Amino acid sequence: MIDTPVPASFLLLVILVLPFIGAMIASGLPRHARTAAAILSWIIALISVGCLAVLWPRFQDGEVLKLTLAWLPSLGVNLTIRLDGLSWLFSALILGIGALVVLYARYYMSPKDPVPRFFSFLLAFMGAMQGVVLSGNLIQLVVFWELTSLFSFLLIGYWHQNASAREGARMALSITATGGVALLVGMILIGRIVGSYELDAVIGARDVILASPLYPVALGLILIGALTKSAQFPFHIWLPRAMAAPTPVSAYLHSATMVKAGVFLLMRFWPVFGETEMWYFVVGGLGLTTLLVGAWCAIFQHDLKGLLAYSTISHLGLICLLLGLGSDLGAIAAIFHTINHATFKASLFMAAGIIDHEAGSRDMRKLSGLIRFMPITATLAMVAAAAMAGVPLLNGFLSKEMFLAEALASTQTSALNQALPVLATLASAFSVLYSLRFIHSTFFGPPPTELDRVPHEPPAWMRRPVEVLVALCLLVGIFPAITVGPFLRSAAVTMLGFDLPQYSLALWHGFNLPLLLSVIAMAGGIGLYVVFGKALNANPRGGPWGMKRLNGGYLFERSQVILMDLSQWIVRHLGARRLQPQLRLILLTALLSAAVAAAGGFVLTWPEFRVPQAHNLAFAALWLAGGACALAAAWQAKYHRLAAVILMGGAGLASCLTFVWLSAPDLALTQLVVEVVTTVLLLLGLRWLPKRLAEIHVPESEQRRARWRRRLDRGIAVCAGAGVALIAWAVMVRPPVEGVSRFFVEKAYEEAGGRNVVNVILVDFRAFDTFGEITVLGVVGLTVLALLRRFRPASDSLSQPMQKRVQDASDRAREGRTEGDTLSDTMMIPGVVMRWLFPFIILLAVHLFLRGHDLPGGGFAAGVALSIAFILQYMSSGARWVEERLEIRPIIWIGVGLLLAALSGAVGWIFDQPFLTTYFQYADLPLLGRVPLASAVLFDLGVVVLVVGATVLVLVALAHQSLRRARIEEAEAEAEAEAEAEQKGGAQ
């Protein structure tokens, strides 16, 4: 282990962060900018490959580079970028094949598609995979692991107009994300066992982990995560459905990256679990099962990508089987086959995509004789398929030989090992069979007659990635020690240490038993195709013989249907569309819990009763007034909504005065401005609720049921309120206990440079909580906008209010006046006052913001106060008048506020400090003198901007309901005018 110098640490950051930056840039490109997005993505991939190549010399001697950034140090969770020989190899596969896929996708994707969005998803997935292989912390690894599931969902479902793409994406996300949850729990258990979440500590604590009683549970959960991601039986069913994705996605995710993430995890934890009995039976047993099931299913597929998908499952099972054997040579063979499989399978997927792109079909029953029309592509595909079959002089032959040698060399006496040589030979024969079927059915035979176009060669640059990968298959197959030997050794040293077993990458090892098994497999595969080839092509179902009842996709869909039926049953019996029954159920559950606690012996001791003093009587009167407002609001909510909102404001004002009484001016100020804004927004929203009917005629039985329901609700409310009041009173009259308050009071100025303890807690000590809260606030604002854009008011709410109709009638009855004059006269003075208040409220908001670190105020109060300025303008002059003079873009405000808050926290990383670490210093400023400056002010500024954006967004959404009604009236007036004009024209 070495401390990473500055240049190397910069390169590590570039490799990890650059794809995400590229994804953000690509997402902002125009829809038609296919070439620009491809060039951007290719440059990013090449720069990352270059950085990785610069770091390669360090790993020839087994070095490990680490860069640690504090994230949650109190929990032992850091952002650790860790690069060793194994992660370097996987990173090279991710970036190298990623660069080739980007070039291929430029010509594969249609200009009609939103291609920049595709490249944005692809780069984001590339960054997530880099995060998985470069993570040096268990929790960090899981975060990136789940990001790969998310971005793969977006890539598989890219053609979302296709139902099969949507279903494939949903299945892949359901299975892999569920595995990710299991992986998270397993990682937490491992961290608890070891006492650290750092990967180096975990790898070095093998004995501690194996001695823990939690070891079987932790290993099982980790294996669920790895096996679901690598499509191992019985979780393999998602991979064939994912073939609905664009072919560049299949070539990238399902050959070199996503499906290899589980393999990488197994390799990463091999030093800890690799030689245990549970590992052997689970990983080895499921790997062998997957090897055979995948190969058997691949034989019967008619779709080129379907055949390649099941062959991928089979080869992943082979890798897992090698890792499960628990031998050092098996681990080396697994690494070697991971490299070989990534090269020949990516080239085969690209070749299948070229055939689909230029011939218009992937059905092997329609394809034949394509070697006449596209000889270069056919030659490349045949070489790659031969590598998949394990033909000599190609890379697949070498790793297959190592696999057969390990199958023969296993020393364990279990039934699995006894049958392994035979089953390995059988699986190899199946591999030859489906590879030969791929070649013969597609490229040989008579010319195709059922295609809707004449096949032809693709553009030269579309074929270049395939040529590069096929060339690698040949070079590694002929010169393995030179081409892949150093990289294989570096990765093996990471897994096994420097004391590596003897292994040879020579092309020829003489006549031996593995070679004999290989010849038997080759001859057996050819013989099986000769005998059964016509029957396979004539199979109408396209599924394997003997497995019709084991359709994984059907079983998954049935399980989804069962879960949906169960959830609907729960909603039907325990849920309700109305809020009142849900609240009733929640409160009844709480009361039942309290009753159970009381029955179990919990007794609330009563303190000595004290006679209230005079000043406490005044406080009690305040709360009696607030309680009366709350009760009246609850009563009037059914009969008079306006009165209920006003009374709710009275209860809020009582809370505000309570904060003043208890010497909490900061909370009082915040409560006051929040009450103002929420009351006004609620009043604006009341305008669009359906009118309450004066009389509702219901049967007598319904009335009796309603009366009983009200009595039940009244009883529940009284019991719940009395219980909460009792608990609150019991807590407040007891001697205070030592809590965290003293810490905040003592450290607020010393460590954060602020005397306003409340604001310091929000923007410094608990800034991460505040960051989450403002994120939720932004999401709420966007949700309200989305709901109100689809909201259509009731017909009785579209008419003018009674007061407006009376005013307009009065204007029409008086000479010299037009409709709206009375309203204009009424609002003249208030409107002028409201407009004049706009700059003064802005100054007040700035004042509250600047003083918030030392005196009552702060970002939240300033943001809400600034929102009041905009609300007054909308109230006084209307939405059109305001938006003609002020360009308000609240969504951008939300984004900028969130970005400011995030960037102010990320600055800490530059100084090797945790996220949202703040810094303060006194500075001498002109005219102001010596003043304290805190970096938390930038975070508070982000709070201000986001609060204004979210509040104004809700305001705009409500205000535009009036504009929608106005547009409807204008359209109706225009229609009436046109009708009158037509009538006059007809009369003439």
Side-chain angles (χ1 to χ4, degrees):
M1 187 75 60
I2 64 170
D3 293 330
T4 306
V6 174
S9 64
F10 175 74
L11 294 179
L12 287 177
L13 280 175
V14 168
I15 294 171
L16 179 61
V17 175
L18 191 59
F20 291 108
I21 296 175
M24 289 189 290
I25 297 174
S27 66
L29 293 176
R31 177 188 177 93
H32 59 275
R34 179 176 65 158
T35 301
I39 292 174
L40 170 68
S41 304
W42 204 51
I43 290 174
I44 286 174
L46 290 182
I47 292 174
S48 301
V49 170
C51 295
L52 200 65
V54 171
L55 294 173
W56 161 246
R58 297 175 176 271
F59 303 106
Q60 298 186 41
D61 298 325
E63 290 185 357
V64 178
L65 298 181
K66 277 184 64 176
L67 174 64
T68 302
L69 303 173
W71 182 17
L72 300 173
S74 59
L75 300 179
V77 179
N78 298 315
L79 291 173
T80 303
I81 307 175
R82 185 183 186 277
L83 188 63
D84 54 22
L86 182 65
S87 56
W88 189 97
L89 177 62
F90 274 85
S91 184
L93 290 176
I94 294 166
L95 296 174
I97 294 181
L100 297 176
V101 168
V102 166
L103 178 59
Y104 175 82
R106 158 60 181 83
Y107 297 93
Y108 181 89
M109 301 302 295
S110 170
K112 298 178 182 179
D113 292 327
V115 181
R117 186 179 68 183
F118 171 83
F119 283 112
S120 175
F121 294 161
L122 191 70
L123 287 174
F125 178 83
M126 182 187 295
M129 278 300 305
Q130 287 291 93
V132 170
V133 301
L134 296 178
S135 290
N137 183 280
L138 301 187
I139 304 302
Q140 175 188 341
L141 188 151
V142 175
V143 171
F144 283 111
W145 184 278
E146 290 295 69
L147 283 179
T148 62
S149 297
L150 175 61
F151 291 122
S152 69
F153 169 79
L154 296 174
L155 285 168
I156 295 170
Y158 173 74
W159 284 331
H160 54 82
Q161 68 276 9
N162 187 348
S164 60
R166 297 195 301 270
E167 293 173 2
R170 179 169 55 86
M171 181 182 291
L173 181 64
S174 299
I175 295 176
T176 58
T178 302
V181 174
L183 178 65
L184 173 61
V185 179
M187 293 297 195
I188 292 174
L189 290 178
I190 292 294
R192 293 293 299 272
I193 294 171
V194 178
S196 173
Y197 292 102
E198 291 299 306
L199 184 61
D200 292 314
V202 172
I203 293 176
R206 172 185 169 89
D207 294 337
V208 175
I209 295 173
L210 298 185
S212 172
L214 295 175
Y215 148 70
V217 179
L219 175 58
L221 293 169
I222 291 174
L223 289 182
I224 289 174
L227 298 177
T228 52
K229 189 75 82 173
S230 285
Q232 296 299 286
F233 182 88
F235 310 113
H236 66 286
I237 58 177
W238 69 265
L239 186 55
R241 295 292 185 96
M243 293 300 107
T247 299
V249 175
S250 302
Y252 191 46
L253 272 66
H254 307 137
S255 66
T257 53
M258 181 174 176
V259 293
K260 294 296 195 307
V263 170
F264 171 81
L265 189 67
L266 294 177
M267 292 179 180
R268 181 58 85 194
F269 282 94
W270 195 92
V272 180
F273 305 113
E275 298 177 1
T276 61
E277 185 175 358
M278 181 177 175
W279 176 277
Y280 169 76
F281 283 107
V282 176
V283 179
L286 291 181
L288 178 59
T289 304
T290 307
L291 169 64
L292 293 171
V293 170
W296 177 255
C297 294
I299 294 171
F300 299 91
Q301 302 303 310
H302 297 314
D303 180 28
L304 288 177
K305 288 179 67 175
L307 185 150
L308 295 177
Y310 279 106
S311 70
T312 297
I313 293 171
S314 179
H315 282 268
L316 291 169
L318 187 155
I319 297 171
C320 291
L321 173 58
L322 286 169
L323 291 170
L325 293 176
S327 66
D328 292 351
L329 285 174
I332 294 174
I335 300 172
F336 190 26
H337 195 68
T338 299
I339 302 171
N340 295 336
H341 178 261
T343 53
F344 66 66
K345 190 54 62 69
S347 60
L348 281 170
F349 269 118
M350 291 184 190
I354 289 174
I355 293 170
D356 186 23
H357 196 267
E358 308 303 340
S361 177
R362 302 195 311 251
D363 193 336
M364 286 188 288
R365 294 169 296 184
K366 298 180 180 180
L367 301 171
S368 63
L370 291 186
I371 195 170
R372 300 180 180 89
F373 302 93
M374 40 199 335
I376 300 176
T377 300
T379 303
L380 295 171
M382 287 189 290
V383 173
M388 180 170 64
V391 174
L393 299 182
L394 295 168
N395 58 353
F397 171 76
L398 299 173
S399 52
K400 185 185 71 172
E401 289 281 287
M402 297 177 73
F403 165 56
L404 294 174
E406 280 304 298
L408 291 166
S410 182
T411 59
Q412 297 196 33
T413 59
S414 65
L416 176 63
N417 277 74
Q418 296 297 323
L420 190 55
V422 177
L423 297 177
T425 306
L426 179 62
S428 299
F430 286 166
S431 177
V432 174
L433 173 55
Y434 60 69
S435 300
L436 186 57
R437 182 168 179 245
F438 177 93
I439 294 172
H440 184 263
S441 299
T442 306
F443 301 112
F444 294 96
T449 58
E450 300 183 35
L451 301 179
D452 58 359
R453 69 187 75 168
V454 178
H456 57 83
E457 288 285 1
W461 282 103
M462 185 178 182
R463 201 176 54 233
R464 293 289 182 264
V466 187
E467 295 170 352
V468 171
L469 292 170
V470 170
L472 288 175
C473 293
L474 284 166
L475 290 173
V476 173
I478 300 172
F479 309 106
I482 299 175
T483 53
V484 80
F487 309 112
L488 180 60
R489 181 185 181 278
S490 176
V493 167
T494 300
M495 286 183 61
L496 308 174
F498 288 96
D499 188 16
L500 296 178
Q502 184 64 35
Y503 66 95
S504 174
L505 294 179
L507 185 60
W508 175 253
H509 296 93
F511 293 100
N512 52 25
L513 198 51
L515 179 62
L516 176 61
L517 294 181
S518 184
V519 172
I520 293 173
M522 190 73 64
I526 295 173
L528 288 172
Y529 184 72
V530 171
V531 175
F532 298 106
K534 292 184 179 179
L536 292 174
N537 292 330
N539 179 22
R541 184 172 179 270
W545 297 334
M547 289 194 174
K548 292 183 179 180
R549 295 185 180 274
L550 295 178
N551 187 326
Y554 170 77
L555 296 177
F556 175 82
E557 294 296 338
R558 286 300 305 164
S559 66
Q560 295 289 98
V561 170
I562 292 172
L563 288 175
M564 289 298 296
D565 291 342
L566 178 61
S567 63
Q568 290 175 2
W569 183 89
I570 293 174
V571 170
R572 190 166 52 251
H573 289 82
L574 299 179
R577 291 187 178 184
R578 297 172 59 228
L579 183 61
Q580 191 175 17
Q582 297 179 21
L583 290 175
R584 183 185 302 124
L585 183 61
I586 293 172
L587 291 177
L588 280 175
T589 304
L591 291 173
L592 181 62
S593 301
V596 171
F602 174 79
V603 179
L604 187 64
T605 58
W606 298 93
E608 182 181 352
F609 180 77
R610 292 176 295 178
V611 178
Q613 299 179 5
H615 63 277
N616 290 336
L617 291 175
F619 183 71
L622 171 64
W623 267 85
L624 284 175
C629 289
L631 289 173
W635 181 263
Q636 289 295 321
K638 183 176 179 61
Y639 304 102
H640 201 300
R641 297 165 183 159
L642 178 61
V645 172
I646 296 173
L647 289 168
M648 286 170 56
L653 183 60
S655 299
C656 177
L657 294 175
T658 299
F659 289 132
V660 175
W661 188 287
L662 298 177
S663 300
D666 214 331
L667 299 179
L669 176 62
T670 304
Q671 177 72 21
L672 179 62
V673 293
V674 168
E675 279 299 324
V676 172
V677 170
T678 53
T679 301
V680 172
L681 292 180
L682 283 173
L683 290 173
L684 292 175
L686 290 181
R687 165 70 177 84
W688 304 108
L689 292 180
K691 292 182 179 179
R692 181 180 178 275
L693 299 178
E695 294 183 1
I696 302 177
H697 299 284
V698 295
E700 181 62 27
S701 60
E702 289 293 332
Q703 293 185 22
R704 287 196 300 269
R705 188 179 297 111
R707 284 194 292 268
W708 277 107
R709 186 175 61 248
R710 293 192 192 103
R711 292 167 185 166
L712 175 63
D713 291 344
R714 190 179 301 116
I716 294 173
V718 170
C719 292
V724 172
L726 180 63
I727 294 173
W729 178 73
V731 170
M732 288 187 291
V733 296
R734 279 166 171 73
V737 296
E738 185 67 26
V740 296
S741 302
R742 183 178 298 277
F743 169 82
F744 290 131
V745 172
E746 294 176 352
K747 301 294 184 179
Y749 186 76
E750 177 183 338
E751 296 188 2
R755 293 184 174 87
N756 183 356
V757 180
V758 173
N759 193 68
V760 169
I761 292 173
L762 292 175
V763 302
D764 193 305
F765 293 118
R766 304 299 297 271
F768 198 77
D769 293 348
T770 305
F771 185 74
E773 290 163 2
I774 62 173
T775 303
V776 171
L777 181 60
V779 171
V780 168
L782 295 173
T783 304
V784 171
L785 174 66
L787 291 174
L788 290 181
R789 288 179 69 175
R790 291 181 173 271
F791 173 70
R792 295 298 181 267
S795 58
D796 56 1
S797 298
L798 291 174
S799 60
Q800 296 282 5
M802 178 62 69
Q803 182 181 4
K804 182 69 165 57
R805 292 200 298 270
V806 171
Q807 291 175 345
D808 291 343
S810 175
D811 290 334
R812 288 192 300 269
R814 298 166 61 184
E815 295 183 2
R817 295 181 67 84
T818 59
E819 289 187 8
D821 287 348
T822 300
L823 177 62
S824 299
D825 295 343
T826 304
M827 289 298 298
M828 179 180 296
I829 295 178
V832 172
V833 173
M834 289 179 182
R835 292 175 192 173
W836 283 358
L837 283 175
F838 188 68
F840 293 101
I841 296 178
I842 293 177
L843 287 176
L844 174 63
V846 173
H847 174 69
L848 293 175
F849 170 71
L850 293 177
R851 77 198 298 260
H853 211 57
D854 288 313
L855 296 170
F860 189 82
V864 180
L866 187 55
S867 303
I868 294 174
F870 288 100
I871 291 174
L872 290 177
Q873 303 314 303
Y874 273 82
M875 291 175 61
S876 65
S877 305
R880 287 181 175 175
W881 187 92
V882 175
E883 293 175 8
E884 286 174 356
R885 290 159 177 80
L886 290 176
E887 187 175 1
I888 304 173
R889 296 185 177 180
I891 296 178
I892 295 179
W893 282 60
I894 293 174
V896 171
L898 198 59
L899 185 62
L900 276 174
L903 291 178
S904 68
V907 170
W909 290 340
I910 300 176
F911 301 98
D912 197 23
Q913 295 295 323
F915 181 63
L916 288 172
T917 299
T918 60
Y919 177 79
F920 81 98
Q921 181 66 48
Y922 281 92
D924 293 318
L925 299 180
L927 302 178
L928 298 179
R930 187 173 178 81
V931 296
L933 299 178
S935 62
V937 173
L938 296 177
F939 181 84
D940 222 10
L941 180 61
V943 174
V944 173
V945 176
L946 189 141
V947 168
V948 173
T951 308
V952 174
L953 185 61
V954 176
L955 172 66
V956 170
L958 288 169
H960 280 213
Q961 293 295 322
S962 299
L963 295 182
R964 180 182 297 164
R965 183 188 57 76
R967 286 192 292 267
I968 293 174
E969 292 179 351
E970 291 172 359
E972 292 175 350
E974 290 178 0
E976 292 178 0
E978 290 177 359
E980 292 178 0
E982 290 178 358
Q983 290 176 358
K984 291 180 180 179
Q988 292 177 355

